[in-house]
Amino acid sequence: MEIGHFMWLRTHRARYDVSSSGVKPIRLDDVVKLGEAGDFIEDLMNVYGVDRKNLAITHGTQEGNFAALAALRDLGLIERVITVVPEYEPIRVLPRFLRLSQVELSINESLSELINHIEKGSALFFSNPNNPLGIFLSKKLLWELSDELRRKGAYAVVDSIFLEFVESNLRDLPTENVIFTFSTSKFYTMSELKVGWVIGDDRVIREVNGIIDLVSPLVIDLNLRYASILIRNRNWVRERNLSIIMPNVDTMRRIIGDIRDYVDISYVEHMPILYMRIRCGEVTGMSIANELLSRNVLTVPGYYFGRDDGIRVGLGSVGSEDFEEAMKIIVNVTHEKCRR
Ligand SMILES: Cc1ncc(COP(=O)(O)O)c(C=O)c1O
């Protein structure tokens, strides 16, 4: 088995690298300056307003996804998984890897369509906000989803790694029949360490903890201490992230007008990624991404999200000058490809 998205990132380098969906890593020295660490579990209980029994610690979001889906299968609660396209590749691959039957739903403008596909014994499994489109279900819709899941005897595993970019109040997430997975990988990006956490239905969380104990018990305390400092300073992290992302969003909006006739931009405010769909003839995302590579710009083709109709561009991992240069090259390449 191979995750093509990761192979793409590992095998390509470019001067202008807008392939990352995270934000520039926060330096450990800067984290230490923010203040004292507390008990990470208690910090999470405060931020999410949940009980200890609704919480599991992992090494990352993908580990949480793996444990959550495996737990639902192991408890005999699900046989079928509904995923969406476009979607982060490891999410699309995991159900079949766990020998669960899978249905893929094509989405465009909204994720709310998912609510119509809930059936007994099934799990919805999706990123919220969606990677690469950024569209997301608000807390209100998540509550509606949870009600419907409970009524029908179904579940949802919601990869919430990007949630904090679009939602600052994380309290009152519905935990009945829903499992949310998180980590420090995007909003709290650090190069040196990573921690994940899972929040949700207590029966499933108990099983998740058992699976983590089986596969990779005990997250190192030092990781938890740094993560605790960060989560206690969420507002500082948010301001810092926005100071990197928003100037790049402004640049994108200023420059993209030149290719308005050829592309649709999917961008949700404050997210660190945008998706650029190409609307000209037979031009694929992969062909644009390869042409960009030859001009020193690294993006991720939609192909790796199950839809080869565009490219994903990161807004948080490069400074404004490099971003502007990358965007100009993207505009030029799109012009050349689409004018033919
Ligand atoms: C939707 C989604 N989930 C999970 C991950 C990876 O998370 P982690 O590094 O915490 O396993 C990513 C990374 O890009 C992602 O986009």
Side-chain angles (χ1 to χ4, degrees), residues 37-75:
D39 178 317
F40 186 57
I41 302 222
E42 278 172 19
D43 294 335
L44 289 176
M45 286 162 60
N46 277 329
V47 168
Y48 291 90
V50 293
D51 207 84
R52 203 172 282 263
K53 67 177 191 305
N54 298 103
L55 193 55
I57 300 294
T58 67
H59 297 84
T61 311
Q62 283 185 215
E63 189 182 89
N65 290 342
F66 184 94
L69 213 58
L72 289 171
R73 188 192 65 169
D74 213 37
L75 290 167

Side-chain angles (χ1 to χ4, degrees), residues 251-311:
T251 301
M252 176 274 285
R253 288 190 168 133
R254 179 161 46 80
I255 292 180
I256 213 73
D258 289 352
I259 49 171
R260 196 179 320 126
D261 292 344
Y262 308 127
V263 302
D264 287 328
I265 300 290
S266 176
Y267 180 67
V268 171
E269 214 60 18
H270 301 165
M271 278 290 284
I273 47 175
L274 68 86
Y275 191 74
M276 184 175 114
R277 193 164 68 86
I278 320 282
R279 289 185 287 104
C280 62
E282 302 293 293
V283 177
T284 63
M286 193 56 111
S287 72
I288 294 266
N290 277 317
E291 185 59 33
L292 286 168
L293 259 177
S294 73
R295 315 228 190 145
N296 245 330
V297 177
L298 182 57
T299 58
V300 182
Y303 176 83
Y304 294 118
F305 300 89
R307 197 183 271 177
D308 195 11
D309 64 352
I311 52 170

Side-chain angles (χ1 to χ4, degrees), residues 220-233:
I220 304 286
D221 197 46
L222 188 65
N223 284 310
L224 298 178
R225 293 182 65 76
Y226 280 112
S228 161
I229 299 176
L230 283 174
I231 208 147
R232 286 169 165 228
N233 291 278

Side-chain angles (χ1 to χ4, degrees), residues 21 59-63 65 87-88 91 127 131 159 161-162 183 185-186 194 312:
S21 58
H59 297 84
T61 311
Q62 283 185 215
E63 189 182 89
N65 290 342
E87 181 63 277
Y88 181 60
I91 293 181
S127 55
N131 183 2
D159 180 320
I161 195 165
F162 291 105
S183 80
S185 286
K186 304 292 165 197
K194 165 162 114 179
R312 190 193 71 185

Side-chain angles (χ1 to χ4, degrees), residues 105 111-119 124 145 148 152:
L105 196 66
L111 283 168
S112 50
E113 167 70 0
L114 273 167
I115 297 191
N116 303 324
H117 292 262
I118 297 173
E119 279 175 24
L124 308 178
L145 187 82
E148 188 65 7
K152 296 246 170 90

